Amino acid sequence: GQDIMPEVHRVLNQMTQLVTRIHNGLWRGYTEKPITDVVNIGIGGSFLGPQLVSEALVPFTQRGVRCHYLANIDGSEFREVTSKLAADTTLFIVSSKSFGTLETLKNAQAARAWCLAQGCPEPELHKHFIAVSSNVKVAVEFGIAEENIFPMWDWVGGRYSLWSAIGLPIALAIGMSNFKDLLAGAYAMDQHFTSAPFEENMPVLLGLLGVWYGNFWGATSHAILPYDHHLRNFVKHLQQLDMESNGKSVRQDGSPVSLETGPVIWGGVGCNGQHAYHQLLHQGTQLIPGDFIVPVVSHNPVADHQQWLYANCLSQSQALMLGKTREEAEAELREKGLGEAEIAKLAPHKVIPGNRPSNTLVLERISPRRLGALVALYEHKVFVQSVIWGINCFDQWGVELGKELGKDVYQHIIGRAEGKADDGSTQGLIDYFRGRHRG
């Protein structure tokens, strides 16, 4: 019953103002130099989606601002990112709905300490930090000016959030006009999903195919195989989108599900996979459906590379479909001049069953509008499957247990918890860690 669009457009306007200021060199650091580097501090949906889009749209990158991503709490990642930067020309975006996500908060605190150590006066810290959060009070206490806090509403799930202010690093990387083209592509897919008849509806067809192969043919995983270097992290985003959404064993009414739900999502960029795990797809004992994603036109044509890349993509899906019979394998070996005994020995190993399912999604080229439609296509596919299985694709309670247990384990590690851990295995690993650090 609430019209959310005015607030959405207000935030888009706020994003436009920020992006314009930074791209025009009007946002200055504590030494009055313009910002040259932006570091997005976030994890999960506050990291995977923006990173995917920023990398996928590198050909549309605006000059003058470099974007970096900091997600893991591992100190090596923090050191690797900050070693390339100067504090007086760096802006940090702290992306956390609660402003309390452990990994994000720890990295934000480390970034704050790094800025101070590099010479930034504490009263000037606000020039180097902005936030995307719903917890304005805590963000202000951290040192972020209230006018530099962008809202993230409760109804925006992290893995569906790259279209919101969480997409600030995308907009800074590719410009606000291209960011709006990204939104337009997603909107076009939204309209297709809501209006196209089921037999022509791409999210519905993809969703139904996944249910068909998973629930009726026993497939437990699904391969995503993008044939484009700029889409190399698409799999990581889809892993969270699909597995965090539909990795559930309880229906919306609380009753247990009676069939398999979300599959394991995996894969990687072609042609690399052809020389690695495609063997399992072709001759393994498991049925593993796959999605091939390939553009027709490359942003960086080199000789006839794109023709070969496209040919490899099509030949892999063709080989999965057609396979190779025993007769074909034997004929192939005879043409090479092998004797019948050697043919009988080798032929079984060259047989490829075929009839392995795959989808091929072809884009003219990777652009903001087309990428927006592609990402939205998978969002709606995940939703379709959740409806069929009767589960809630918008919660993720399974993620919370590890977070809560982590707090208790941490207290044991630093010696502030009474007694021992809840199980002997964990206690043994805690003891080993503490012993090594005492040494």
Side-chain angles (χ1 to χ4, degrees):
Q2 180 182 353
D3 183 4
I4 61 173
M5 293 312 296
E7 184 66 9
V8 168
H9 287 296
R10 186 190 71 77
V11 173
L12 285 173
N13 289 335
Q14 186 183 2
M15 291 173 65
T16 300
Q17 292 170 13
L18 173 71
V19 172
T20 301
R21 286 181 64 193
I22 291 177
H23 282 180
N24 291 338
L26 300 177
W27 185 298
R28 304 275 172 154
Y30 68 89
T31 61
E32 290 303 312
K33 293 180 181 178
I35 296 298
T36 60
D37 292 271
V38 175
V39 180
N40 185 73
I41 302 177
I43 200 164
S46 301
F47 155 65
L48 291 166
Q51 183 197 47
L52 154 70
V53 176
S54 297
E55 289 184 352
L57 297 178
V58 159
F60 298 86
T61 298
Q62 306 295 296
R63 294 180 180 178
V65 179
R66 295 177 294 269
C67 288
H68 314 269
Y69 290 90
L70 182 59
N72 198 345
I73 201 172
D74 190 332
S76 297
E77 183 171 320
F78 181 87
R79 180 64 59 84
E80 187 174 301
V81 170
T82 55
S83 65
K84 311 168 188 173
L85 307 175
D88 60 342
T89 57
T90 298
L91 177 68
F92 292 93
I93 304 173
V94 184
S95 296
S96 172
K97 186 185 295 187
S98 65
F99 213 87
T101 304
L102 175 67
E103 296 87 350
T104 301
L105 186 58
K106 286 294 178 183
N107 278 328
Q109 290 168 347
R112 188 179 190 277
W114 177 78
C115 282
L116 293 172
Q118 294 291 312
C120 178
E122 190 162 351
E124 303 283 285
L125 274 173
H126 67 93
K127 297 180 178 179
H128 296 275
F129 286 87
I130 63 177
V132 181
S133 179
S134 61
N135 196 339
V136 175
K137 179 177 180 293
V138 175
V140 169
E141 290 172 355
F142 179 86
I144 299 175
E146 188 167 350
E147 63 269 22
N148 294 331
I149 300 172
F150 292 74
M152 185 180 180
W153 305 288
D154 288 342
W155 48 267
V156 179
R159 53 195 175 278
Y160 304 96
S161 67
L162 68 87
W163 324 102
S164 70
I166 289 293
L168 258 177
I170 301 172
L172 286 165
I174 66 175
M176 202 63 198
S177 176
N178 285 322
F179 183 76
K180 288 180 178 177
D181 276 349
L182 179 82
L183 298 183
Y187 179 75
M189 183 57 67
D190 294 346
Q191 296 305 300
H192 167 78
F193 177 49
T194 56
S195 63
F198 281 0
E199 62 269 20
E200 300 172 6
N201 194 303
M202 290 180 68
V204 171
L205 292 173
L206 283 182
L208 288 172
L209 283 168
V211 171
W212 174 244
Y213 291 120
N215 294 144
F216 293 87
W217 289 92
T220 58
S221 73
H222 190 98
I224 304 295
L225 309 165
Y227 275 66
D228 186 275
H229 175 69
H230 291 141
L231 291 178
R232 61 192 178 277
N233 276 322
F234 195 43
V235 178
K236 292 181 182 179
H237 175 62
L238 293 189
Q239 282 177 327
Q240 188 201 17
L241 173 63
D242 199 312
M243 296 166 73
E244 191 168 89
S245 295
N246 288 346
K248 314 287 171 59
S249 56
V250 175
R251 293 168 57 86
Q252 293 213 42
D253 62 6
S255 63
V257 297
S258 57
L259 36 72
E260 299 297 325
T261 57
V264 174
I265 303 296
W266 64 283
V269 69
C271 300
N272 301 1
Q274 294 172 204
H275 297 268
Y277 47 79
H278 280 220
Q279 168 64 38
L280 179 69
L281 300 178
H282 289 294
Q283 287 188 304
T285 57
Q286 302 177 56
L287 176 72
I288 303 175
D291 290 355
F292 292 91
I293 304 170
V294 61
V296 174
V297 179
S298 172
H299 284 284
N300 300 288
V302 176
D304 59 354
H305 287 207
Q306 188 64 18
Q307 287 85 343
W308 275 112
L309 186 73
Y310 196 79
N312 270 278
C313 178
L314 300 191
S315 65
Q316 287 294 302
S317 62
Q318 184 181 40
L320 287 169
M321 177 178 65
L322 298 179
K324 182 184 291 184
T325 65
R326 175 68 177 259
E327 291 74 18
E328 290 170 333
E330 290 177 349
E332 185 181 276
L333 293 169
R334 286 192 185 95
E335 286 181 9
K336 294 181 179 180
L338 274 67
E340 290 302 316
E342 191 68 12
I343 289 173
K345 181 179 179 181
L346 287 178
H349 299 281
K350 294 178 72 66
V351 172
I352 298 175
N355 199 28
R356 302 280 171 103
S358 69
N359 304 306
T360 302
L361 285 77
V362 181
L363 298 80
E364 182 181 340
R365 66 200 285 262
I366 303 297
S367 67
R369 189 175 294 261
R370 294 185 182 93
L371 182 66
L374 181 66
V375 174
L377 167 65
Y378 279 94
E379 288 186 349
H380 294 312
K381 170 210 167 179
V382 167
F383 173 71
V384 166
Q385 291 181 331
S386 75
V387 171
I388 293 171
W389 290 322
I391 58 180
N392 184 353
C393 65
F394 300 110
D395 66 23
Q396 59 279 336
W397 296 110
V399 175
E400 304 302 321
L401 176 60
K403 293 180 182 179
E404 292 303 316
L405 292 176
K407 296 174 184 176
D408 180 66
V409 170
Y410 175 78
Q411 294 300 318
H412 280 85
I413 287 174
I414 63 174
R416 290 184 182 172
E418 296 182 2
K420 293 186 176 295
D422 292 338
D423 65 277
S425 173
T426 302
Q427 185 62 50
L429 295 169
I430 291 170
D431 292 342
Y432 180 78
F433 182 90
R434 295 187 66 184
R436 297 295 292 180
H437 277 264
R438 277 198 296 269

